[in-house]
């Protein structure tokens, strides 16, 4: 019997995670392994701009999605509902054995809910089944339920059959929430699989030259900023104060700011651009290889992204996290991450402390070794063979 896995992507941070899974399945099918896998890729369309979506498919050589749901932007409830409505038809038509969702975005929770509520009848006589749900990057908790992602994580984990974790804190969180131990698989980090795989290709990016950060002889010191969380950019007072801190920093070191569309929109809507336009280097969202190249040579990164905390850990780049909490505590223990929040004075103080020297993290978290996707697919195949 052919084993059918359906994977879901929706938003930017999903693409690099599913890329690693696609690659492993491609290799398994190419070498003619005993268990062939039929892999269906569905894009919900939560992110749809070329530089938020298409460019990642090109850079990471992800196969073109088999199905696109084109849901686009909307309020959380409307977006989630639209995905659910359209994804139900997909599950009914495709009847996969397993649906794999990654991360914590609205597409993750919406598709997870659909999977566990859809009864797939093979035909009128045979018995039907509910597909199994696999969650990659399970168990992470910020313990801040005002974050939409925290709700998405808790709900998805509570109904998943296979929970694939990236760090020990996630295992503990899941056990504390009553998830049976035999559903938890500590496999490592698929986003780091993709980073390690594309690291040398990213060296060919010309982004440093394009932004005049490097010439033939040397790379100049610079810092990178990313910011898009509602808690930072939706409150005008908080956002304006943070921008002041960034202007201050940019007087000491060039600050490159690839701005997420929602952040750009806030800058335009609130007319905040004038105060920093001539100092901070605002650039459009970058493709994967360009961003990896930019990050790899940076003196320091300031961010409220979850994934960048992890990537900075691998690069050993000091990471000033513009949040009060992190769902990825291993980056504090093992890496170069510090939590600073949105207080402008603290941001500047930490920048001054960390910008002088390039800290090297010599410890890589357990299983962040480029083989996480292999472990995941092996578990899924073994479980499938056991059940069929
Ligand atoms: C989503 C995820 C967040 C993740 C982030 C990475 C949720 C709840 N949040 O947040 O966890 O860190 O993606 O990027 O799923 N927009 C565009 N073009 C696009 C996509 C979005 O212009 O291709 C604009 C729209 O104005 C939209 C806004 O960005 O309303 C926000 O997009 P949305 O997908 O709702 O959430 P993100 O902030 O991107």
């Amino acid at each position: 019997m052919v084993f059918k896995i359906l994977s879901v992507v929706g938003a930017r941070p999903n693409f690099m995670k599913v890329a690693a899974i696609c690659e492993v399945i491609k290799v398994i099918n190419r070498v003619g392994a005993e268990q062939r896998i039929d892999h269906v890729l569905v894009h919900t369309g939560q992110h749809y701009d070329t530089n938020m979506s298409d460019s990642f498919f090109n850079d990471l050589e992800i196969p073109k999605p088999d199905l696109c749901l084109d849901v686009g932007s909307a309020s959380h409830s409307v977006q989630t509902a639209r995905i659910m409505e359209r994804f139900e038809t997909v599950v009914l038509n495709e009847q996969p054995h397993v649906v794999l969702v990654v991360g914590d975005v609205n597409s993750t929770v919406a598709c997870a809910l659909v999977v566990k509520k859809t009864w797939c009848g093979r035909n009128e006589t045979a018995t039907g089944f509910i597909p199994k749900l696999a969650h990659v990057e399970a168990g992470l908790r910020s313990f801040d339920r005002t974050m939409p992602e925290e709700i998405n994580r808790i709900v998805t984990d509570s109904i998943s059959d296979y929970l694939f974790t990236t760090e020990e804190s996630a295992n503990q969180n899941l056990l504390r929430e009553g998830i049976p131990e035999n559903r938890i698989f500590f496999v490592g980090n698929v986003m780091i699989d993709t980073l390690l795989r594309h690291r040398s290709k990213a060296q060919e990016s010309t982004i440093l030259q394009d932004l005049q950060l490097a010439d033939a002889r040397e790379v100049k010191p610079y810092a990178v900023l990313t910011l898009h969380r509602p808690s930072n950019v939706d409150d005008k007072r908080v956002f304006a104060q943070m921008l002041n801190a960034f202007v201050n920093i940019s007087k000491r070191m060039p600050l490159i700011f690839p701005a997420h569309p929602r952040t750009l929109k806030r800058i335009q809507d609130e007319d905040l651009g004038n105060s920093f336009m001539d100092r901070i280097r605002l650039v459009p969202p970058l493709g994967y290889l360009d961003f990896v190249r930019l990050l790899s040579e940076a003196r320091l990164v300031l961010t409220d992204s979850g994934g960048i905390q992890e990537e900075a850990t691998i690069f050993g780049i000091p990471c000033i996290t513009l949040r009060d909490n992190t769902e990825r505590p291993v980056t504090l223990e093992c890496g170069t991450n510090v939590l600073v929040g949105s207080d402008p004075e603290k941001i500047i103080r930490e920048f001054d402390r960390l910008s002088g020297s390039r800290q090297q993290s010599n410890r890589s978290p357990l299983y962040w070794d480029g083989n996480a996707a292999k472990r995941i697919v092996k578990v899924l195949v073994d479980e499938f063979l056991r059940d069929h």
Side-chain angles (χ1 to χ4, degrees):
M1 188 193 285
V2 176
F3 177 28
K4 188 167 191 174
I5 301 179
L6 187 153
S7 297
V8 176
V9 289
R12 185 169 60 176
N14 297 160
F15 304 133
M16 42 291 235
K17 294 170 193 164
V18 167
I21 303 282
C22 289
E23 182 57 31
V24 168
I25 294 179
K26 195 171 85 189
V27 171
I28 287 180
N29 286 338
R30 197 172 50 214
V31 301
E34 209 174 307
Q35 184 55 62
R36 235 199 96 72
I37 299 172
D38 180 8
H39 192 207
V40 178
L41 184 61
V42 178
H43 190 334
T44 65
Q46 177 175 347
H47 285 175
Y48 44 85
D49 283 352
T50 304
N51 53 16
M52 296 294 287
S53 174
D54 297 1
S55 81
F56 287 80
F57 282 79
N58 296 332
D59 279 3
L60 299 171
E61 296 164 46
I62 305 172
K64 214 168 133 16
D66 298 288
L67 294 157
C68 293
L69 308 184
D70 295 322
V71 297
S73 301
S75 71
H76 283 259
S77 299
V78 170
Q79 189 174 60
T80 306
R82 261 189 213 155
I83 298 169
M84 287 184 69
E85 208 172 356
R86 295 177 197 186
F87 190 62
E88 184 183 46
T89 314
V90 173
V91 176
L92 285 170
N93 288 340
E94 295 293 333
Q95 308 210 352
H97 296 104
V98 174
V99 173
L100 184 144
V101 296
V102 298
D104 55 15
V105 303
N106 288 343
S107 301
T108 312
V109 70
C111 293
L113 281 168
V114 170
V115 173
K116 295 287 48 166
K117 283 172 172 283
T118 303
W119 182 256
C120 294
R122 283 235 167 255
N123 56 44
E124 277 164 25
T125 46
T127 16
F129 67 103
I130 293 176
K132 293 277 203 285
L133 176 64
H135 185 206
V136 174
E137 207 185 82
L140 298 179
R141 297 289 180 268
S142 65
F143 302 102
D144 172 2
R145 291 198 177 197
T146 65
M147 270 181 96
E149 292 82 358
E150 183 76 350
I151 304 301
N152 296 346
R153 290 189 279 257
I154 292 170
V155 173
T156 305
D157 286 340
S158 71
I159 55 174
S160 289
D161 299 289
Y162 310 119
L163 297 101
F164 295 108
T165 58
T166 51
E167 59 170 272
E168 179 53 27
S169 76
N171 302 332
Q172 295 308 321
N173 293 335
L174 292 172
L175 290 173
R176 207 179 317 110
E177 288 172 21
I179 304 287
E181 201 171 352
N182 62 1
R183 285 199 213 158
I184 304 169
F185 302 88
F186 184 17
V187 290
N189 193 325
V190 285
M191 211 189 62
I192 302 304
D193 288 6
T194 296
L195 181 67
L196 298 177
R197 189 171 133 77
H198 289 84
R199 204 174 178 170
S200 54
K201 196 166 160 206
Q203 294 287 336
E204 292 162 24
S205 154
T206 57
I207 190 72
L208 301 185
Q209 289 75 16
D210 299 347
L211 295 174
Q212 279 130 29
L213 296 169
D215 53 31
R217 280 179 305 120
E218 57 168 10
V219 176
K220 297 172 193 159
Y222 65 89
V224 175
L225 166 66
T226 83
L227 196 71
H228 71 282
R229 298 251 163 244
S231 58
N232 283 330
V233 302
D234 283 2
D235 180 325
K236 184 178 179 183
R237 195 185 54 85
V238 172
F239 191 21
Q241 279 182 359
M242 291 178 89
L243 286 172
N244 280 337
F246 303 141
V247 169
N248 190 315
I249 286 171
S250 68
K251 289 178 184 159
R252 292 168 239 191
M253 194 181 275
L255 185 57
I256 316 301
F257 184 11
H260 184 286
R262 75 176 288 132
T263 310
L264 263 189
K265 192 164 181 303
R266 298 295 302 158
I267 291 170
Q268 283 153 3
D269 289 355
E270 300 292 354
D271 210 11
L272 287 165
N274 292 338
S275 58
F276 70 88
M277 276 318 220
D278 53 337
R279 296 227 56 105
I280 301 174
R281 306 264 308 268
L282 198 64
V283 297
L286 297 178
Y288 184 76
L289 298 172
D290 285 342
F291 189 76
V292 165
R293 177 78 184 126
L294 186 70
L295 189 64
S296 69
E297 293 290 341
R299 274 296 162 91
L300 183 145
V301 60
L302 301 111
T303 191
D304 60 3
S305 148
I308 295 172
Q309 295 170 48
E310 298 184 336
E311 289 165 342
T313 294
I314 294 300
F315 282 130
I317 313 277
C319 179
I320 296 182
T321 293
L322 305 163
R323 289 174 46 190
D324 295 320
N325 53 54
T326 179
E327 59 287 331
R328 294 159 160 92
V330 77
T331 62
L332 303 172
E333 294 147 21
C334 250
T336 48
N337 192 14
V338 286
L339 292 179
V340 172
S342 53
D343 176 344
E345 280 175 22
K346 268 199 202 158
I347 295 171
I348 295 170
R349 205 177 323 126
E350 281 303 311
F351 174 83
D352 285 340
R353 189 174 73 79
L354 293 168
S355 60
S357 67
R358 183 158 176 169
Q359 216 175 306
Q360 285 296 326
S361 119
N362 48 14
R363 288 164 60 206
S364 185
L366 189 59
Y367 301 143
W368 291 24
D369 58 0
N371 294 313
K374 275 190 208 148
R375 296 186 188 104
I376 289 170
V377 176
K378 180 171 184 332
V379 169
L380 293 178
V381 170
D382 288 350
E383 294 281 315
F384 173 75
L385 291 173
R386 210 193 51 193
D387 293 348
H388 291 86

